[in-house]
Amino acid sequence: MTCRFRTMRKPDIRCPACRWRPGAEARWTCLPACGTVWNTFSTGGRCPGCGARWHRTQCLACGVVSPHRDWYRDPDSAGGTTGRRELVTAR
């Protein structure tokens, strides 16, 4: 059996409701906590100002609030979330 790691591409980030893709310039505000303005996808949903973890993210295009993890899509598969390496075994 041979084991190797396959590095997966950067996940595709898009709204699960309307499929809008936030660019690097997109900004969210940590409210009602500290008021920091930042791109939530650059930190995986953690506020750089106060450390609050945002488990839900509102789409700036359609306004729908969805679980933060649902925004991440594996560009190599039809629907899974990723961003990590996976172990591939061959026999």
Side-chain angles (χ1 to χ4, degrees):
M1 178 165 63
T2 304
C3 293
R4 62 184 167 86
F5 281 99
R6 179 177 69 184
T7 302
M8 302 181 83
R9 294 188 310 173
K10 182 178 177 183
D12 180 33
I13 299 171
R14 64 177 184 240
C15 172
C18 74
R19 301 177 61 86
W20 172 71
R21 288 184 167 102
E25 72 287 346
R27 297 289 182 265
W28 284 259
T29 305
C30 184
L31 291 176
C34 73
T36 295
V37 177
W38 88 106
N39 184 311
T40 190
F41 297 103
S42 67
T43 61
R46 184 172 301 276
C47 175
C50 68
R53 168 66 75 185
W54 292 93
H55 296 283
R56 301 181 62 75
T57 299
Q58 183 172 17
C59 178
L60 301 181
C62 72
V64 172
V65 178
S66 304
H68 188 84
R69 69 179 176 271
D70 290 356
W71 285 69
Y72 298 90
R73 297 286 170 206
D74 178 353
D76 295 329
S77 74
T81 61
T82 190
R84 294 169 279 187
R85 296 187 317 169
E86 66 179 25
L87 178 64
V88 177
T89 57
R91 295 180 186 218

